[in-house]
Amino acid sequence: MHITAIAGGVGGARFVRGLRHHLDTTPGLADSTITVVANTGDDITLFGLRVCPDVDTLLYTLGDGVHEGQGWGRADESHRVQAELAAYGAVPQWFALGDLDIATHVVRSQWLGQGVSLSEVTAHLAARWGLPERRIELLPMTDVPVETHVVVDDGEGSERAIHFQEWWVRHQAAIDARRFVVAGLDRATPAPGVLDAIRRADVVLLPPSNPVVSIGIVLGVPGVRDALRGTNAPVVGVSPLISGRPVRGHADACLAAIGVEQTAQAVAGLYEDFLDGWLVDPADAATTLRRARVEVFDGPLLMSDVEASARIAAHALRLAETGRA
Amino acid sequence: MHITAIAGGVGGARFVRGLRHHLDTTPGLADSTITVVANTGDDITLFGLRVCPDVDTLLYTLGDGVHEGQGWGRADESHRVQAELAAYGAVPQWFALGDLDIATHVVRSQWLGQGVSLSEVTAHLAARWGLPERRIELLPMTDVPVETHVVVDDGEGSERAIHFQEWWVRHQAAIDARRFVVAGLDRATPAPGVLDAIRRADVVLLPPSNPVVSIGIVLGVPGVRDALRGTNAPVVGVSPLISGRPVRGHADACLAAIGVEQTAQAVAGLYEDFLDGWLVDPADAATTLRRARVEVFDGPLLMSDVEASARIAAHALRLAETGRA
């Protein structure tokens, strides 16, 4: 079986890790392969280094190198380089870059600077983290630089745009977002393998990633949404909301910015043109969708550890096996 | 009094630190200023980061941040980033880059990438290390990228060129150098302030830096040698050799490569068109020069600590005060 997942950072990574665990521990499924199409819309250049937060979280999580408590960044991390950058007056300092993490950005930036594409760079990085051996292929959604910006009130009656990471990390999404502007998205093309991975999959899964600034950005890459509409594979998603609140992150603020109700039902509505199954938390059991089959997970929809994530992924897979709605 | 010194890395940095100490502890000299013109011919780009070894050694030494035992790099250094780069398969690994040190290269590369000149970047870095407060101005010899390469035997009867750092650090100068090729030197222009610093100085000093690949490279920047010939300031040098052997580094191998005898007298000969005074070790007391006044230092010409360096610098200054030969 080949499964394709469209993922953001922490939620996507934990879901795919759980999915891999489920496959590896289920007779007959261990040789299944997974392609992860990662959001690169929250990429940012800091100190001249190209940082791909969602790709890195996927690499570290799927490669057993992640800081479990944070959900992102490296385990056993230190922060000497960034303290030195601060001593030199280099800004910004609101984005934490650990020493081990910085090496990823240095080597990525070096290779990008040599003309290597982001997908090739990502494949090199994934090799170090052992993803091929785990039968996981990690693809950036596009090789074209895309950056999400957030339009906010400048406090003087006008608007200004700040980088998504400044809004998300520095301001913790506490400033009202008027809208998102995704620089480069209209001219982006799917990275090599992305459309094929969707078209040729046996199952396509949408982890409980942010529907606006993670999965929503991947869907905005020209061709991706059409591939999802056209694939023969069932497409099953896992709700990122429980009773209208995100388990982590700021999906609520993102949904508010695009004028979508903060419910599991409304999020599924963002995918309604291609969604076949939708897994929700017991708190959202009242969810009804016109086209997609809704199932209620047996317990809270929380990826509290690998086993819990595996159970959620297993349920999503079973839902897919029931076929298109 | 204003003193200009032309310096390479460890030897130059220790000499200037001693000079500053001498000035600071001598009545009437504390408000003297020093301009250091640093060799940038051994600069190298590693992992996409611009590394300026001599400038950095000067910054760290004059800013009290150097690893005293090594003479270069940072005190209290760690090497987590480079180990990560190695894990990603990034090469080369023969040049040790510490975590604190890497921050210098990251911020320099970022600023250079934004179009800031190397002299402006160096001034920013020097500010962090407190050089202006110590009345030390640090100038790169040029803002134009210059890189020294070493032509060596390829072992198959032919020649190949390797970067100076590969020869110096990786091979410890143990491969015979046929000649040095300094890419970019012919089109380099002195950085802003360099020629003025030589012309308007009260004294110009040549620390015991490598005469071929440090001071020799600075002298090769078009205009620098003419400025030394034309300045009204006395020019006094300190021999980098004791009985034909360098105190540290591989000046002997460098002199052999350019066909110059490995003696204090022959090194002075490289400067004979502008040199007024030459300070030698007691072991080289027999040195005689046609034009420059030779003096023998009262003890071994070893910069074993700040006080020893200060005594050597003080003698060089006194030699300058005797005026042109």
Side-chain angles (χ1 to χ4, degrees):
Chain A
M1 178 160 56
H2 183 75
I3 301 164
T4 293
I6 295 177
V10 181
R14 288 184 171 170
F15 179 85
V16 174
R17 182 169 61 174
L19 172 64
R20 185 71 261 170
H21 183 75
H22 166 67
L23 297 171
D24 289 346
T25 55
T26 303
L29 290 184
D31 63 350
S32 298
T33 51
I34 304 173
T35 294
V36 182
V37 178
N39 171 42
T40 59
D42 58 357
D43 291 4
I44 186 168
T45 300
L46 294 167
F47 311 113
L49 304 175
R50 191 66 176 164
V51 181
C52 301
D54 286 358
V55 166
D56 293 339
T57 297
L58 285 156
L59 287 169
Y60 301 158
T61 303
L62 301 175
D64 288 338
V66 78
H67 185 299
E68 287 293 341
Q70 280 176 172
W72 52 271
R74 295 285 303 275
D76 186 29
E77 186 57 290
S78 50
H79 293 83
R80 305 193 81 200
V81 176
Q82 186 155 10
E84 277 298 301
L85 293 172
Y88 281 122
V91 289
Q93 286 291 327
W94 45 256
F95 196 98
L97 292 177
D99 298 334
L100 303 179
D101 191 37
I102 278 178
T104 306
H105 314 318
V106 167
V107 79
R108 172 188 290 122
S109 302
Q110 179 188 17
W111 290 335
L112 289 174
Q114 290 166 347
V116 182
S117 71
L118 183 61
S119 7
E120 292 172 292
V121 168
T122 304
H124 282 299
L125 300 178
R128 178 262 163 105
W129 288 106
L131 270 56
E133 295 88 324
R134 294 168 193 216
R135 293 173 294 283
I136 300 173
E137 178 186 42
L138 176 59
L139 304 177
M141 65 184 197
T142 178
D143 284 341
V144 177
V146 170
E147 284 196 355
T148 304
H149 290 78
V150 186
V151 178
V152 299
D153 193 313
D154 71 353
E156 295 169 3
S158 194
E159 293 183 335
R160 68 190 175 98
I162 58 177
H163 192 283
F164 170 74
Q165 295 295 352
E166 183 168 0
W167 181 71
W168 187 267
V169 175
R170 183 184 194 183
H171 298 295
Q172 293 289 307
I175 302 178
D176 278 350
R178 293 192 175 182
R179 62 187 180 280
F180 299 101
V181 176
V182 192
L185 192 61
D186 55 340
R187 60 184 161 74
T189 49
V194 166
L195 297 185
D196 271 356
I198 294 169
R199 290 179 187 136
R200 297 184 184 169
D202 297 304
V203 175
V204 175
L205 297 178
L206 307 182
S209 289
N210 190 302
V212 183
V213 295
S214 292
I215 293 178
I217 304 298
V218 181
L219 297 180
V221 177
V224 168
R225 192 161 202 124
D226 282 343
L228 284 163
R229 287 182 187 132
T231 184
N232 288 321
V235 181
V236 169
V238 178
S239 170
L241 298 185
I242 297 178
S243 292
R245 301 176 71 163
V247 173
R248 63 178 287 153
H250 314 290
D252 43 353
C254 296
L255 288 165
I258 64 165
V260 169
E261 208 183 344
Q262 296 160 43
T263 64
Q265 180 154 336
V267 171
L270 295 171
Y271 310 138
E272 71 176 342
D273 50 328
F274 56 79
L275 194 69
D276 299 299
W278 189 236
L279 186 63
V280 299
D281 183 87
D284 299 304
T287 301
T288 55
L289 298 170
R290 269 182 301 178
R291 184 172 168 282
R293 178 188 181 103
V294 177
E295 288 197 3
V296 178
F297 186 61
D298 173 28
L301 209 53
L302 291 171
M303 297 188 292
S304 42
D305 57 26
V306 176
E307 286 70 26
S309 308
R311 283 193 299 274
I312 293 170
H315 193 144
L317 267 190
R318 282 197 304 277
L319 180 49
E321 281 161 18
T322 64
R324 285 181 174 277
Chain B
M1 178 159 59
H2 183 75
I3 301 163
T4 293
I6 295 177
V10 182
R14 288 183 170 171
F15 179 85
V16 174
R17 182 169 61 173
L19 173 64
R20 184 72 261 169
H21 184 73
H22 167 66
L23 297 171
D24 289 345
T25 53
T26 304
L29 290 183
D31 62 350
S32 298
T33 50
I34 303 172
T35 295
V36 181
V37 178
N39 171 43
T40 59
D42 58 358
D43 291 5
I44 187 168
T45 300
L46 294 167
F47 312 112
L49 304 174
R50 191 66 176 164
V51 181
C52 301
D54 286 358
V55 166
D56 293 339
T57 297
L58 285 156
L59 287 170
Y60 301 158
T61 304
L62 301 175
D64 287 339
V66 78
H67 185 299
E68 288 293 341
Q70 282 177 169
W72 52 270
R74 295 283 304 274
D76 187 29
E77 187 56 290
S78 50
H79 293 83
R80 305 194 80 200
V81 177
Q82 187 156 12
E84 277 298 300
L85 293 171
Y88 281 122
V91 289
Q93 286 291 328
W94 44 257
F95 196 98
L97 291 177
D99 298 334
L100 304 179
D101 191 36
I102 278 178
T104 306
H105 313 318
V106 167
V107 77
R108 171 189 290 122
S109 302
Q110 179 188 18
W111 290 336
L112 289 174
Q114 291 167 344
V116 181
S117 70
L118 183 61
S119 8
E120 292 172 290
V121 168
T122 304
H124 282 299
L125 301 177
R128 177 264 163 106
W129 287 105
L131 270 55
E133 295 88 323
R134 292 166 194 218
R135 292 174 295 283
I136 300 173
E137 178 186 42
L138 176 59
L139 303 177
M141 65 184 197
T142 178
D143 283 340
V144 176
V146 169
E147 285 196 356
T148 303
H149 290 78
V150 187
V151 178
V152 298
D153 194 312
D154 71 354
E156 296 170 2
S158 194
E159 294 183 334
R160 67 188 176 100
I162 58 177
H163 191 283
F164 170 74
Q165 295 295 351
E166 184 168 1
W167 182 69
W168 187 266
V169 175
R170 183 183 194 185
H171 299 295
Q172 292 288 307
I175 302 178
D176 278 351
R178 294 191 174 182
R179 60 186 182 280
F180 299 101
V181 176
V182 193
L185 193 61
D186 54 341
R187 58 183 161 76
T189 48
V194 166
L195 297 185
D196 271 356
I198 295 169
R199 291 179 185 136
R200 296 183 186 171
D202 297 305
V203 175
V204 175
L205 297 178
L206 306 184
S209 290
N210 189 303
V212 183
V213 296
S214 293
I215 293 177
I217 305 298
V218 181
L219 296 180
V221 177
V224 168
R225 191 160 203 126
D226 282 343
L228 285 162
R229 287 180 186 133
T231 184
N232 287 321
V235 181
V236 169
V238 177
S239 170
L241 298 184
I242 297 178
S243 292
R245 301 175 70 163
V247 172
R248 63 177 289 152
H250 313 290
D252 43 354
C254 296
L255 289 164
I258 64 166
V260 169
E261 210 184 342
Q262 297 160 42
T263 64
Q265 180 155 336
V267 171
L270 295 170
Y271 310 139
E272 70 177 342
D273 49 328
F274 57 78
L275 193 69
D276 299 299
W278 189 236
L279 186 63
V280 300
D281 183 86
D284 300 303
T287 302
T288 55
L289 298 169
R290 270 183 301 177
R291 184 173 167 280
R293 179 189 181 105
V294 177
E295 288 196 2
V296 179
F297 185 62
D298 175 26
L301 210 52
L302 291 172
M303 298 187 293
S304 42
D305 57 25
V306 176
E307 286 69 28
S309 308
R311 283 193 299 276
I312 293 170
H315 193 143
L317 267 189
R318 281 196 305 277
L319 180 50
E321 281 161 17
T322 64
R324 286 179 175 277

